[in-house]
Amino acid sequence: STSFLHVPGASEEVAPPVQQCFMVPKKEINVVSDMAKWKRSQAYADYMGFILTLNEGVKGKKLTCEYKVSEPIEKLVALLNTLDRWIDETPPVDQPSRFGNKAFRTWYAKLDQEAEKLVSAVIPKHLADAAPEVAVYLKESVGNSTRIDYGTGHEAAFAAFLCCLCKIGVLRVDDQMAIVFKVFNRYLEVMRKLQKTYRMEPAGSQGVWGLDDFQFLPFIWGSSQLIDHPSLEPRHFVDEKVVNENHKDFMFLECILFITEMKTGPFAEHSNQLWNISAVPSWSKVNQGLIRMYKAECLEKFPVIQHFKFGSLLPIQPVTS
């Protein structure tokens, strides 16, 4: 089977012959029974295919290894750097409640206003019509401005944003490692800064029973990075020394480091699910288990998926291939 990222003819630097009809994505999952539509959709198949393609692409690779960095990748990093700079320009405000700083709404309003322009800077001129569609996923990926919360549904919107850029041929097969290590990793840094700066609430968090308050994908891809590692086993990630020495190479350990910075008390208490995972004998078992858990706990949960939007690139229509 060809990799999801391999768009036929994508290697030739030519404008696509058929002009696709782009559309502004909209909500389609309104009641619990609509979930069946989602699981059968082309969007679900493409989204999951994208996640799994990247999972294979980073297997056994360190964040610090050599990989190709294309111009669109550089432009995406620049986009994320802009979002980061806006955080510095929008300091939290004094307010009575500890959580959900209202300055986030000011920061978000700027993104809301500029998103299309930001996306247009990443995509070539002949695909300019795709900007309004793709920009929706970018706007959805940073948290909710009413509730000032962030969760795995927002993270999924960012993966969908990248998936759309692949579907229009802006990102290619040989961008796989850079998509995860450069773009997604930078996205995580910006999200952690948002979460800290504006004290964002975890959206739909299952508390101690969830994997993590905010993210899921870096645990999947991060566990794939560690498959067949000569010395690091799952039991080692609860060891502070191991984390401190290796976090710059592995996304999974970066996540653990962030949790321990944000939470106090014994790891087994504040992150029970991860504690249980540390008892799994191999990273490939961890990776497989996390993929199953991601489908069950995120992609098949109505409260998460009801917010997902569908357009021409990620259609609600049943799978065709």
Side-chain angles (χ1 to χ4, degrees):
S1 71
T2 56
S3 138
F4 171 79
L5 284 160
H6 189 76
V7 186
S11 50
E12 301 93 69
E13 292 288 342
V14 290
V18 272
Q19 190 48 59
Q20 176 154 9
C21 269
F22 295 107
M23 62 177 274
V24 175
K26 59 184 209 293
K27 196 168 140 58
E28 299 276 3
I29 310 296
N30 300 303
V31 288
V32 177
S33 57
D34 287 337
M35 288 297 285
K37 237 182 358 182
W38 153 243
K39 283 185 241 176
R40 282 197 300 268
S41 71
Q42 189 65 50
Y44 182 89
D46 288 347
Y47 179 87
M48 220 38 236
F50 180 65
I51 299 303
L52 295 174
T53 296
L54 295 174
N55 190 58
E56 281 302 306
V58 300
K59 196 184 258 177
K61 305 279 201 300
K62 291 181 177 185
L63 284 167
T64 48
C65 75
E66 293 279 308
Y67 49 84
K68 174 185 165 266
V69 180
S70 64
E71 196 184 348
I73 294 285
E74 296 282 18
K75 287 177 170 174
L76 283 165
V77 172
L79 183 158
L80 291 163
N81 291 344
T82 300
L83 302 190
D84 191 348
R85 194 183 71 245
W86 291 347
I87 302 174
D88 297 333
E89 293 167 4
T90 319
V93 293
D94 274 338
Q95 61 176 45
S97 68
R98 245 177 86 210
F99 285 93
N101 196 282
K102 289 179 179 58
F104 175 73
R105 292 179 182 150
T106 310
W107 180 90
Y108 184 86
K110 197 163 176 67
L111 172 62
D112 194 35
Q113 199 190 326
E114 302 286 327
E116 255 180 66
K117 204 192 299 177
L118 290 171
V119 170
S120 296
V122 177
I123 61 182
K125 287 279 177 283
H126 70 266
L127 290 168
D129 291 353
E133 175 163 352
V134 177
V136 167
Y137 296 104
L138 178 64
K139 287 192 282 193
E140 297 276 317
S141 75
V142 296
N144 181 284
S145 69
T146 310
R147 295 187 301 272
I148 315 182
D149 66 6
Y150 176 95
T152 51
H154 302 109
E155 176 190 68
F158 192 75
F161 166 68
L162 297 172
C163 181
C164 286
L165 291 173
C166 290
K167 293 198 84 171
I168 61 174
V170 171
L171 297 172
R172 309 278 169 89
V173 183
D174 53 1
D175 288 317
Q176 278 184 59
M177 282 167 68
I179 289 170
V180 180
F181 293 170
K182 250 193 130 52
V183 181
F184 194 82
N185 203 45
R186 184 72 186 105
Y187 165 75
L188 283 177
E189 290 168 0
V190 179
M191 292 309 105
R192 287 174 184 140
K193 188 166 166 177
L194 278 180
Q195 290 152 17
K196 262 187 180 157
T197 307
Y198 304 123
R199 310 278 313 244
M200 297 178 78
E201 300 268 14
S205 159
Q206 296 135 324
V208 72
W209 305 112
L211 186 69
D212 176 82
D213 280 342
F214 297 111
Q215 314 296 155
F216 204 112
L217 293 173
F219 292 95
I220 295 179
W221 295 330
S223 58
S224 182
Q225 283 186 277
L226 285 153
I227 290 174
D228 295 332
H229 190 285
S231 60
L232 287 180
E233 293 170 38
R235 63 190 171 94
H236 291 119
F237 79 73
V238 291
D239 179 337
E240 206 181 329
K241 186 173 182 286
V242 173
V243 173
N244 287 332
E245 285 170 9
N246 298 282
H247 70 94
K248 285 189 169 64
D249 283 324
F250 301 104
M251 221 168 218
F252 195 100
L253 303 182
E254 279 284 12
C255 291
I256 301 297
L257 187 67
F258 185 67
I259 293 170
T260 54
E261 278 174 11
M262 300 296 277
K263 302 200 165 187
T264 51
F267 191 87
E269 284 174 27
H270 64 61
S271 302
N272 192 258
Q273 282 281 35
L274 282 166
W275 180 259
N276 294 340
I277 286 169
S278 72
V280 175
S282 74
W283 284 111
S284 67
K285 283 272 184 287
V286 169
N287 185 246
Q288 289 159 10
L290 286 173
I291 291 165
R292 278 198 308 274
M293 184 180 174
Y294 184 59
K295 288 178 181 170
E297 298 302 319
C298 302
L299 302 185
E300 295 177 7
K301 287 280 185 279
F302 175 73
V304 177
I305 294 305
Q306 63 171 330
H307 303 292
F308 198 90
K309 295 199 163 94
F310 300 84
S312 76
L313 295 167
L314 289 169
I316 189 68
Q317 278 71 34
V319 123
T320 47
S321 51

